[in-house]
Amino acid sequence: MKFRTEIHPKESTEKLTYKSSILFLGSCFSVNIHNKLKELKFNSVSNPFGIVYNPISLAQQVIRIISGKEYNESDLHFHNERWFSFDHHSDFSFSSKSDCLTAINDSLGLAKKQLLKADFLFLTLGSSWIYNHNESNEIVSNCHKLPSKLFTKKLASSEEMKNKMQQVISDIQKINPEISIVLSISPVRHLADGNFENQLSKGRLFDLIYQLQKNNSNVRYFEAFELLHDDLRDYRFYNADLVHPSTEAVEYIWEKFINSYVSVETQLTINKVEKIVKAVAHRPFNSTSLAHKKFIVKTLNQISEVSNQTKIDFTPEIKFLKSQIIPSG
């Protein structure tokens, strides 16, 4: 007997390899997948504007990346002794105006370089609710805890989201015709909006993705939302807040992602890289012991073997391991 519906995401015809360039944009769920790939030495860049939830703001960010237009002092605002941009997450807020601009523009430059050569662009949509800044009449990515009276909250229309996202997809294809775009819906529920309002918001995102897939042959969909809510479907797979997925849930979705988007050959390499990463993170009881020196030499040999086969850069790991070889007294 079956007691749950196990979801098997469609296997992608385009596969991630260690030669792939990858860019992630969207909700905190996209950060989870990026972090896993980055830890395993993939060439991945995530959220150059910080976490973003709604498709309108995400589209505005991509348009800014494509234009490459840098931010200046007039784009910044000051509140609670921090400089910030309404286009960016609070991760990009600083007490120094110059530090804020430097961080924002450095990240923008990195994002454009990555987008121009990217093989994959992963976009994770979180919510259809948007916030309009009343004074500037512009949609913001983050309200930065300013008084709510300064903003008007509304549900973005299906047509508005579709037009904005279609414009972005068309613009991306002009600068990078071979890119594969993968859309997903964040499984994180925005219960602060209300349960009904969250369901309505997610429903519009499903319709948006359906419309974009119908009109664009290079747009795919990964079932992150369904894997948590329909496959796992149990509160034991959530964190204590009962909103965000647990470590086990993220790991489960990660495994499904790998099976869908990574070739068997690259998965074998991932296994080797993962062993190396764990070995480098290992902290010995006695760093001067002969056993630990043998462990380091063994790990360096494993790195040499993998890097010769794949050209993966293990420079930081090699430097660290060599620094741990303490000469015998």
Side-chain angles (χ1 to χ4, degrees):
M1 295 178 65
K2 290 186 177 181
F3 294 97
R4 56 183 271 260
T5 303
E6 185 173 356
I7 293 173
H8 302 280
K10 293 178 182 178
E11 185 174 349
S12 173
T13 54
E14 298 87 15
K15 299 291 187 180
L16 287 168
T17 72
Y18 274 99
K19 294 180 181 178
S20 302
S21 294
I22 313 158
L23 179 61
F24 284 88
L25 290 167
S27 76
C28 50
F29 178 75
S30 67
V31 177
N32 290 331
I33 302 299
H34 158 77
N35 287 343
K36 300 284 285 186
L37 288 170
K38 196 70 177 176
E39 181 181 289
L40 293 169
K41 311 295 286 183
F42 280 85
N43 176 16
S44 179
V45 172
S46 171
N47 283 342
F49 287 72
I51 291 169
V52 60
Y53 300 103
N54 75 80
I56 305 297
S57 293
L58 188 149
Q60 291 174 170
Q61 291 177 1
V62 176
I63 291 169
R64 190 69 179 240
I65 291 171
I66 292 172
S67 75
K69 181 184 176 183
E70 289 197 338
Y71 286 78
N72 56 48
E73 291 187 1
S74 65
D75 297 310
L76 301 184
H77 304 268
F78 191 72
H79 180 69
N80 281 343
E81 301 183 2
R82 307 283 289 182
W83 290 97
F84 66 90
S85 155
F86 280 125
D87 291 345
H88 293 75
H89 188 266
S90 56
D91 288 346
F92 286 86
S93 65
F94 292 84
S95 57
S96 162
K97 184 189 295 185
S98 61
D99 287 346
C100 184
L101 277 177
T102 298
I104 284 173
N105 288 325
D106 284 352
S107 186
L108 179 68
L110 175 64
K112 182 163 187 179
K113 288 180 181 178
Q114 191 77 349
L115 182 58
L116 287 171
K117 65 180 182 180
D119 301 289
F120 288 87
L121 173 62
F122 291 93
L123 304 176
T124 303
L125 311 178
S127 175
S128 301
W129 289 100
I130 57 177
Y131 289 83
N132 193 77
H133 186 233
N134 297 329
E135 183 179 343
S136 64
N137 196 31
E138 293 181 349
I139 296 169
V140 301
S141 298
N142 194 294
C143 296
H144 295 275
K145 298 182 179 179
L146 268 70
S148 59
K149 65 182 180 181
L150 300 178
F151 305 91
T152 299
K153 178 183 176 181
K154 69 173 184 175
L155 194 65
S157 71
S158 298
E159 196 68 17
E160 182 182 11
M161 292 191 293
K162 186 185 82 170
N163 291 341
K164 199 73 174 178
M165 287 296 294
Q166 183 57 58
Q167 175 194 346
V168 163
I169 290 171
S170 300
D171 289 348
I172 291 171
Q173 288 173 329
K174 290 176 184 176
I175 65 168
N176 187 344
E178 302 302 318
I179 195 171
S180 294
I181 300 173
V182 183
L183 302 176
S184 61
I185 294 176
S186 169
V188 177
R189 295 171 298 162
H190 293 249
L191 295 182
D193 296 322
N195 189 53
F196 172 79
E197 289 79 2
N198 171 72
Q199 297 286 68
L200 177 61
S201 166
K202 296 290 188 185
R204 290 200 177 183
L205 296 181
F206 278 108
D207 180 60
L208 169 63
I209 290 176
Y210 171 75
Q211 297 295 334
L212 294 175
Q213 275 195 294
K214 190 169 67 172
N215 296 328
N216 300 277
S217 60
N218 69 329
V219 171
R220 307 285 183 266
Y221 176 63
F222 177 70
E223 298 96 322
F225 182 94
E226 295 86 339
L227 284 167
L228 181 60
H229 294 290
D230 294 325
D231 187 335
L232 296 179
R233 203 181 180 89
D234 193 298
Y235 275 110
R236 65 194 169 103
F237 295 110
Y238 291 78
N239 281 339
D241 62 6
L242 303 181
V243 172
H244 291 83
S246 67
T247 302
E248 292 79 10
V250 172
E251 192 65 32
Y252 182 77
I253 297 171
W254 161 254
E255 289 175 3
K256 295 287 188 177
F257 175 83
I258 288 296
N259 290 335
S260 180
Y261 280 95
V262 180
S263 67
V264 173
E265 181 183 359
T266 303
Q267 287 186 45
L268 294 174
T269 304
I270 284 176
N271 292 337
K272 294 177 182 178
V273 173
E274 193 167 26
K275 288 179 181 178
I276 291 170
V277 170
K278 288 180 178 178
V280 173
H282 173 71
R283 294 296 177 265
F285 289 111
N286 183 359
S287 60
T288 62
S289 69
L290 180 61
H292 181 58
K293 290 180 181 179
K294 288 181 178 180
F295 175 79
I296 290 175
V297 171
K298 179 183 176 182
T299 305
L300 286 170
N301 288 337
Q302 290 173 341
I303 289 175
S304 179
E305 178 186 346
V306 174
S307 60
N308 287 338
Q309 293 172 352
T310 62
K311 307 304 180 185
I312 298 173
D313 183 14
F314 286 99
T315 301
E317 288 78 11
I318 293 172
K319 184 177 180 181
F320 173 78
L321 288 170
K322 289 184 175 179
S323 71
Q324 299 300 299
I325 302 177
I326 303 172
S328 301

